[in-house]
């Protein structure tokens, strides 16, 4: 939980019913589950037993959730997916209150935080999501290895890894994990599989950090037709550019607001809400 | 008469709505609750919201649209229960889909979050 978040501060001051619970058994079988402590910090939001008294709620994937600047992971909730799943969170003008209980089932602090969340959202009028999820976060290239022992023959799982990776590792979980740990900053999804981008790797620069922009610009300054630089531009930008000068001008005009999103499609995007707020065109 | 007045004065703080000053400027926000009309949940959510906000209206979630949300500061999207001890009933899901141009702030409660939109990162895991 991010207790420093504004919804826990006001306008209503909630007296949070904090405590600890036994770590849910379902969390143990998931990735990283073995390392979880025996007890977890908790806040009682609602009462009522599922399914007789209250419905199951909804949690969202935490993987890549915060890879765009218009998102906030606020809290998980007891669920069957994992301890980082999003039960309270925001993406753009959308807020998830993942708990299904109605106000009569909420604790007093639950009701107060709910009211705070409603009030908090007012400032996001017009702030539609900057990206839509069309791809999987690179974190999953590592996490899925923990499912290999259990689902080694599952096609959906095998397809996550490119053929050359499957061949070179024999789908050995430890080898795949080592491979992606070493190359995580160069990963992008190609045809639904976690591929390592040879161009980013050649430069030795993460494809999701601003340094790659400078490396591309530097190469284009030396050679306007640098093939590697243009492949990177083609792979990591939504729009096309008519030459190095246009690309340079565009990067410089938008640099302050550029961000990289895995789930948005492994591209650099402009935070147009922030740019517009700054009065830039 | 004095006893009755004393009793009224005694009850007044109990019956009074929560203190307005706690909400500050947020008290003036206009809230639209979009849920299952006629359901107990609607009554309970609207009651809670009206205790804290000056203007709270209610419509069916199935009528929620960008146009319906005009004039409101925040929308709360909700729907009735799906389980009630009999397993998940998909046929109880709302027939509601927001359009991608929906730009009002919206708080989505439970399963509704994965049903009325599919273009944010908020969805079923």
């Amino acid at each position: 939980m991010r207790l420093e978040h504004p919804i826990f501060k006001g306008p209503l001051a909630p007296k949070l019913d904090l405590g600890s619970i036994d770590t849910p058994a379902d969390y143990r079988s998931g990735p990283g589950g073995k390392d979880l402590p025996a007890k977890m910090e908790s806040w009682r939001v609602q009462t009522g037993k599922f399914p007789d008294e209250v419905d199951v709620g909804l949690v969202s994937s935490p993987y890549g959730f915060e890879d765009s600047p218009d998102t906030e992971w606020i809290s998980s909730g007891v669920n069957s997916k994992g301890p980082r799943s999003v039960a309270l969170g925001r993406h753009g003008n959308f807020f998830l209150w993942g708990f299904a209980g109605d106000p009569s089932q909420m604790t007093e602090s639950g009701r107060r935080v709910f009211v705070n969340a409603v009030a908090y959202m007012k400032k996001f009028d017009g702030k539609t999501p900057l990206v839509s999820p069309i791809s999987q976060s690179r974190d999953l290239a590592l996490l899925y290895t923990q499912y290999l022992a259990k689902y080694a023959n599952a096609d959906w799982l095998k397809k996550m890894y490119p053929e050359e990776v499957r061949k070179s590792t024999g789908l050995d979980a430890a080898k795949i994990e080592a491979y992606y740990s070493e190359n995580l900053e160069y990963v992008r999804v190609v045809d639904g599989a976690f591929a390592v981008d040879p161009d980013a790797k050649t430069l030795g620069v993460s494809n999701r950090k601003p340094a790659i922009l400078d490396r591309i610009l530097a190469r284009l300054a030396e050679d306007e037709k640098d093939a590697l630089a243009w492949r990177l531009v083609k792979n990591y930008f939504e729009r096309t550019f008519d030459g190095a000068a246009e690309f340079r001008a565009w990067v410089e005009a938008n640099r302050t607001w550029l961000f990289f999103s895995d789930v948005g499609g492994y591209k650099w995007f402009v935070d147009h809400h922030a740019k517009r707020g700054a009065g830039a065109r | 008469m004095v006893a009755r007045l004393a009793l009224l004065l005694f009850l007044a703080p109990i019956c009074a709505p929560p203190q307005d000053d706690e909400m500050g400027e947020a008290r003036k926000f206009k809230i639209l609750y979009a849920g299952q009309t006629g359901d107990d949940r609607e009554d309970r959510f609207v009651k809670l919201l009206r205790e804290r906000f000056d203007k709270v209206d209610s419509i069916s979630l199935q009528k929620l649209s960008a146009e319906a949300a005009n004039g409101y500061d925040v929308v709360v999207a909700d729907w009735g229960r799906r389980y009630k001890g009999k397993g998940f009933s998909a046929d109880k899901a709302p027939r509601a889909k927001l359009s991608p141009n929906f730009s009002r702030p919206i708080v989505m409660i439970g399963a509704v979050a994965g049903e009325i939109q599919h273009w944010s990162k908020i969805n079923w895991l």
Side-chain angles (χ1 to χ4, degrees):
Chain A
M1 274 181 290
R2 288 184 177 155
L3 293 175
E4 72 281 8
H5 193 276
I7 68 167
F8 295 117
K9 302 297 184 187
L12 301 179
K15 187 179 174 189
L16 299 179
D17 315 294
L18 296 176
S20 66
I21 56 169
D22 292 336
T23 297
D26 286 340
Y27 293 3
R28 294 280 174 212
S29 57
K34 280 178 272 183
D35 302 325
L36 291 172
K39 297 269 187 186
M40 303 188 82
E41 180 187 36
S42 70
W43 161 47
R44 180 168 286 282
V45 181
Q46 61 184 22
T47 58
K49 284 186 179 172
F50 167 78
D52 293 336
E53 296 165 1
V54 65
D55 277 8
V56 69
L58 182 146
V59 289
S60 294
S61 173
Y63 304 110
F65 188 82
E66 290 193 294
D67 76 358
S68 56
D70 59 344
T71 53
E72 298 177 274
W73 183 101
I74 299 170
S75 179
S76 188
V78 175
N79 67 87
S80 60
K81 308 295 183 181
R84 291 179 55 216
S85 303
V86 187
L88 296 178
R90 180 183 69 83
H91 185 195
N93 58 315
F94 294 94
F95 188 95
L96 171 63
W97 183 272
F99 304 99
D102 70 42
S104 71
Q105 297 167 311
M106 294 179 188
T107 59
E108 175 58 18
S109 62
R111 285 189 286 271
R112 285 180 158 250
V113 173
F114 175 78
V115 168
N116 287 348
V118 173
Y120 173 69
M121 283 303 290
K122 181 181 186 295
K123 63 184 172 184
F124 299 106
D125 188 22
K127 308 289 193 210
T128 49
L130 294 168
V131 297
S132 286
I134 61 167
S135 195
Q136 299 203 71
S137 165
R138 71 187 71 195
D139 297 338
L140 293 169
L142 290 167
L143 286 166
Y144 284 150
T145 63
Q146 299 188 37
Y147 291 116
L148 279 169
K150 197 172 178 182
Y151 305 107
N153 294 316
D155 280 345
W156 69 267
L157 186 53
K158 284 193 265 189
K159 285 177 184 171
M160 296 292 164
Y161 302 110
E163 187 177 358
E164 63 270 23
V165 176
R166 296 200 301 267
K167 279 185 179 170
S168 64
T169 61
L171 276 179
D172 179 273
K175 288 180 181 172
I176 291 182
E177 187 174 3
Y179 174 75
Y180 283 104
S181 293
E182 186 183 335
N183 294 291
L184 195 64
E185 293 305 312
Y186 316 126
V187 166
R188 60 188 280 257
V189 167
V190 178
D191 297 330
F194 294 107
V196 169
D197 181 350
D199 293 328
K201 187 169 182 175
T202 296
L203 293 184
V205 181
S206 169
N207 55 11
R208 57 179 167 177
K209 291 185 178 161
I212 198 167
L213 306 173
D214 295 317
R215 295 296 296 276
I216 295 171
L217 289 171
R219 288 182 75 102
L220 291 176
E222 281 192 16
D223 176 3
E224 286 192 357
K225 295 186 176 173
D226 185 282
L228 184 150
W230 282 115
R231 280 197 301 274
L232 290 169
V233 172
K234 184 181 173 212
N235 287 336
Y236 295 121
F237 292 86
E238 283 194 301
R239 53 160 292 178
T240 57
F241 299 92
D242 188 17
E246 188 185 23
F247 178 67
R248 176 179 294 278
W250 186 87
V251 169
E252 296 310 335
N254 293 290
R255 185 183 285 270
T256 305
W257 302 284
L258 287 175
F259 67 94
F260 189 91
S261 172
D262 285 9
V263 299
Y266 288 81
K267 305 276 186 195
W268 285 90
F269 298 89
V270 177
D271 180 348
H272 55 86
H273 294 312
K275 184 179 178 184
R276 204 174 298 137
R281 303 179 74 190
Chain B
M1 182 65 179
V2 172
R4 187 177 294 170
L5 184 61
L7 182 62
L8 286 172
L9 289 172
F10 175 73
L11 289 175
I14 300 173
C15 300
Q19 289 183 347
D20 293 355
D21 56 348
E22 259 193 292
M23 289 298 288
E25 282 298 303
R27 175 106 207 160
K28 298 174 186 166
F29 294 176
K30 301 180 189 74
I31 311 299
L32 178 64
Y33 173 84
Q36 191 162 26
T37 47
D39 193 88
D40 287 347
R41 291 176 67 90
E42 178 193 30
D43 293 341
R44 291 166 182 159
F45 272 105
V46 169
K47 180 173 181 286
L48 172 68
L49 292 166
R50 283 186 176 152
E51 286 174 356
R52 301 297 183 180
F53 299 99
D54 283 342
K55 182 174 173 57
V56 179
D57 292 326
S58 177
I59 62 167
S60 168
L61 179 63
Q62 297 181 146
K63 292 184 177 174
L64 180 60
S65 64
E67 292 73 28
N70 270 341
Y72 293 94
D73 295 308
V74 182
V75 175
V76 174
D78 184 38
W79 194 245
R81 292 199 57 195
R82 320 296 168 81
Y83 282 86
K84 295 192 175 174
K86 295 177 183 173
F88 189 79
S89 301
D91 60 344
K92 291 180 182 170
R95 293 186 303 279
K97 288 274 186 296
L98 298 178
S99 62
N101 69 345
F102 190 90
S103 61
R104 285 278 176 242
I106 181 167
V107 175
M108 304 177 294
I109 299 169
V112 158
E115 295 169 334
I116 62 174
Q117 59 80 38
H118 295 288
W119 59 90
S120 81
K121 295 178 185 177
I122 295 170
N123 212 331
W124 291 103
L125 174 55

